[in-house]
Amino acid sequence: MTNMATFGAGCFWGVEAAFRRIDGVVETQVGYAGGRTENPSYQQVCYEGTGHAEVVQVTYDPTKVVYEQLLAVFFAEHDPTQVNRQGPDIGDQYRSVIFVHDEAQRAAADLAKARVEERIARPVATVIEDAPTFWPAEDYHQRYLEKRGLASCHVSLAS
């Protein structure tokens, strides 16, 4: 049995690499979700204002990793207080978003967000929405850092 989780935390390359290191993650795929254009390209998402977020869709085995662990990685791998950006990457495609697939995920995401808000001084900008259609990114984006022998493309904010 596998479950699905979908997260947007800025540029999808580093976030995908972080999820791939978790025991119990069966598969990851980067792509686009939450916009207005069907089957968008990277070019469209970045330069034509489609409204999509860059996301990582995670397939996981809930007997080895629970959704709450995935949420912890999500919050550790980006700055959830930034609105429509992560570091030098600016635009709504880099927004902090959790796309939930059911009410159990929504409850867990709400709780995780509230716990993060208790720990930090700034408001958390992460939005929690029902999972829309997921559009896979182009092949060259899949496992992008792994193909180049890199572990990440940013400094983790976890302390």
Side-chain angles (χ1 to χ4, degrees), residues 13-32:
W13 298 334
V15 179
E16 179 190 32
F19 282 119
R20 291 192 61 72
R21 291 190 290 270
I22 299 172
D23 185 39
V25 169
V26 176
E27 181 182 357
T28 60
Q29 189 172 31
V30 298
Y32 317 108

Side-chain angles (χ1 to χ4, degrees), residues 73-140:
V73 170
F74 164 77
F75 280 112
E77 288 297 316
H78 78 298
D79 181 350
T81 68
Q82 294 192 355
V83 177
N84 292 339
R85 72 175 300 159
Q86 283 298 304
D89 296 328
I90 299 172
D92 63 351
Q93 71 268 31
Y94 301 115
R95 68 187 178 272
S96 177
V97 60
I98 302 168
F99 288 118
V100 295
H101 293 265
D102 59 34
E103 287 307 310
Q105 284 188 357
R106 179 176 299 281
D110 285 337
L111 182 59
K113 179 180 175 181
R115 287 183 175 152
V116 169
E117 286 176 328
E118 290 172 0
R119 289 193 338 252
I120 61 177
R122 296 177 293 167
V124 172
T126 304
V127 294
I128 301 167
E129 301 176 359
D130 290 337
T133 301
F134 170 82
W135 303 99
E138 296 80 353
D139 285 342
Y140 71 92

Side-chain angles (χ1 to χ4, degrees), residues 1-7 26-29 56-62 67 70 98-102 105 131-132 134:
M1 177 183 170
T2 59
N3 287 3
M4 189 76 59
T6 308
F7 303 101
V26 176
E27 181 182 357
T28 60
Q29 189 172 31
V56 179
Q57 188 162 272
V58 179
T59 305
Y60 65 100
D61 179 344
Y67 185 68
L70 301 178
I98 302 168
F99 288 118
V100 295
H101 293 265
D102 59 34
Q105 284 188 357
F134 170 82

